[in-house]
Amino acid sequence: MPDLEMYRNQERHMSKRIAIFGAGAAGSYIGAFLTREGHDITLIDMWGEHVEAMRENGLRVSGSQGDFTVPVNALHLSDAMQIQGKFDIAFLAMKSYDTEWSAHFLKRLIASDGVVVDSQNCMNDQLIASIVGYGREVGCVMSGITVALWEPGHVTRGGQPGHTVFRVGELHGKITPRVEEIVEILSCIDGAIATENIWGERWSKLTTNSSGNPVGAMTDLGSYGVASNSDARRIQINICKESCQVALAQNYRVEPIRGIAAETYAKADDGGVYEELDAKFQPGPAGGADWKSSMGQDVLKGRHTEVEFMNGYISAQGRASGVPTPINDAIVQIVSEIDSGTRKPSPENIAAVLRMAGMA
């Protein structure tokens, strides 16, 4: 009986209490699907208009996975300490610059045997684990998913679904029952797998983010506009080259980036290798959607970017490993100037980055 089966699924899902800490685009998307699936979800966010819109009208999802609206339990951050009881699972989906205080805040809301799932961009797992406890943190890398929150109470997804988006893993690399449980929970959204190499997945995603996000943000171009510009692609390829050289110098087993091994990116100065990589960054024959990167969305909204935690991290680790990172250094400077209001996003910043990096 389908109705009875639905009731049983909801009853089973409701056995775990789940928080989404940071209901931005990614957090809202996860929260909407998990709520619709019958999980006991609480969304916590700082954007008052968004929280009120969700409370009054529900959370709307649109885009490539259809259009639906689901009633959600949404709380403003200021109300979170009034929550009774503890959460079994908390997805931390805040910006990287909010990681430290968010982890301290969540630590008080998680059950003694609960877990914080780091579903952020960048390399924040170690910091979170040092605060909540290494036995209470699991990494979750989200790849190949583009989502946006342009208005309160409405999140949309671009691109096509139907592939592996979520990669969940323990910091120590073993596949555990709780990792498998989180994978099962997320599988109602899109493809989800358990990984023994969460650090390699993190470096792969860091490389992808660092090569796409800031180039779109500093130029005010969408994904198609960036892909159509040969100098923009040159910057992207060299960001990836430096990132992979740093990761390999530190003995990370980096997962493929755009289907190509990190060792190949590290040899991008070779003409033949560069042509192979450039083909991966060019727009497809049918063009494609001109999607704004998440960092580009932040710039448009007047929000601070995560460039220090993306390209800045690569630069810092490069200095620690003795690996030069001139293109990432230049990207950090340009985007930081946009953050401070002393520079405007413009395609002219492409030439500026190349000059700063000594590549003009």
Side-chain angles (χ1 to χ4, degrees):
M1 297 174 62
D3 290 344
L4 180 58
E5 185 62 29
M6 182 182 300
Y7 173 79
R8 286 172 175 165
N9 285 340
Q10 290 180 341
E11 187 178 50
R12 175 170 55 86
H13 292 332
M14 294 288 281
S15 65
K16 287 293 173 76
R17 198 170 178 214
I18 302 173
I20 309 291
F21 197 76
S28 292
Y29 205 76
I30 293 171
F33 274 85
L34 298 193
T35 298
R36 188 177 69 165
E37 187 72 6
H39 293 282
D40 180 3
I41 304 295
T42 300
L43 294 110
I44 304 169
D45 198 67
M46 297 183 291
W47 185 16
E49 288 179 283
H50 183 42
V51 171
E52 290 306 315
M54 289 190 288
R55 284 173 169 174
E56 292 177 15
N57 306 311
L59 178 53
R60 181 186 169 196
V61 172
S62 66
S64 56
Q65 284 186 279
D67 197 321
F68 67 88
T69 300
V70 61
V72 294
N73 180 26
L75 291 178
H76 193 278
L77 179 64
S78 60
D79 298 324
M81 290 315 295
Q82 306 304 318
I83 294 172
Q84 299 296 314
K86 302 288 186 178
F87 291 102
D88 301 293
I89 300 170
F91 289 89
L92 202 169
M94 301 288 277
K95 292 292 185 180
S96 289
Y97 44 73
D98 289 320
T99 300
E100 187 169 3
W101 72 261
S102 295
H104 280 290
F105 196 96
L106 269 181
K107 183 178 181 179
R108 295 175 291 178
L109 300 178
I110 300 298
S112 59
D113 58 349
V115 61
V116 174
V117 181
D118 178 14
S119 52
Q120 302 168 284
N121 289 325
C122 310
M123 307 287 280
N124 301 317
D125 295 275
Q126 189 163 339
L127 173 59
I128 296 168
S130 71
I131 295 168
V132 303
Y134 282 86
R136 297 206 297 168
E137 200 271 3
V138 164
C140 176
V141 175
M142 298 172 59
S143 298
I145 182 170
T146 51
V147 289
L149 188 70
W150 291 113
E151 59 182 349
H154 179 196
V155 61
T156 187
R157 179 176 180 179
Q160 291 301 313
H163 57 271
T164 300
V165 169
F166 303 98
R167 295 157 172 84
V168 184
E170 300 276 4
L171 302 191
H172 52 61
K174 294 181 180 179
I175 304 297
T176 59
R178 70 178 181 182
V179 162
E180 293 175 332
E181 179 184 28
I182 294 164
V183 166
E184 181 184 359
I185 289 170
L186 293 170
S187 64
C188 71
I189 307 172
D190 212 327
I193 61 170
T195 177
E196 297 177 339
N197 185 27
I198 194 65
W199 296 108
E201 295 283 5
R202 282 282 187 223
W203 262 106
S204 177
K205 181 64 187 298
L206 176 71
T207 304
T208 299
N209 279 336
S210 297
S211 63
N213 269 296
V215 180
M218 75 179 191
T219 59
D220 196 29
L221 295 174
S223 55
Y224 185 77
V226 170
S228 301
N229 187 304
S230 60
D231 281 336
R233 297 197 305 271
R234 184 181 175 202
I235 290 172
Q236 290 182 299
I237 291 166
N238 278 275
I239 289 171
C240 292
K241 179 196 78 174
E242 293 176 4
S243 179
C244 290
Q245 287 176 341
V246 171
L248 294 172
Q250 296 186 357
N251 296 316
Y252 283 96
R253 181 164 52 90
V254 183
E255 295 294 333
I257 303 138
R258 293 180 181 241
I260 296 178
E263 290 78 5
T264 300
Y265 281 97
K267 299 174 183 176
D269 290 338
D270 180 278
V273 172
Y274 184 89
E275 289 184 7
E276 176 190 353
L277 296 173
D278 188 55
K280 282 286 186 180
F281 284 83
Q282 292 187 29
D290 203 24
W291 191 267
K292 287 284 186 185
S293 69
S294 60
M295 192 179 290
Q297 294 173 38
D298 287 338
V299 169
L300 283 175
K301 294 175 182 177
R303 295 181 58 173
H304 196 77
T305 72
E306 294 179 293
V307 70
E308 289 287 349
F309 298 87
M310 291 183 184
N311 306 81
Y313 183 87
I314 295 168
S315 294
Q317 295 303 308
R319 290 191 293 272
S321 302
V323 177
T325 57
I327 202 78
N328 281 283
D329 298 346
I331 285 285
V332 172
Q333 181 172 336
I334 291 289
V335 178
S336 295
E337 289 173 3
I338 293 172
D339 276 343
S340 67
T342 60
R343 181 184 290 270
K344 298 292 185 183
S346 166
E348 295 178 0
N349 290 325
I350 293 172
V353 166
L354 292 174
R355 284 195 303 271
M356 288 180 185
M359 297 171 59

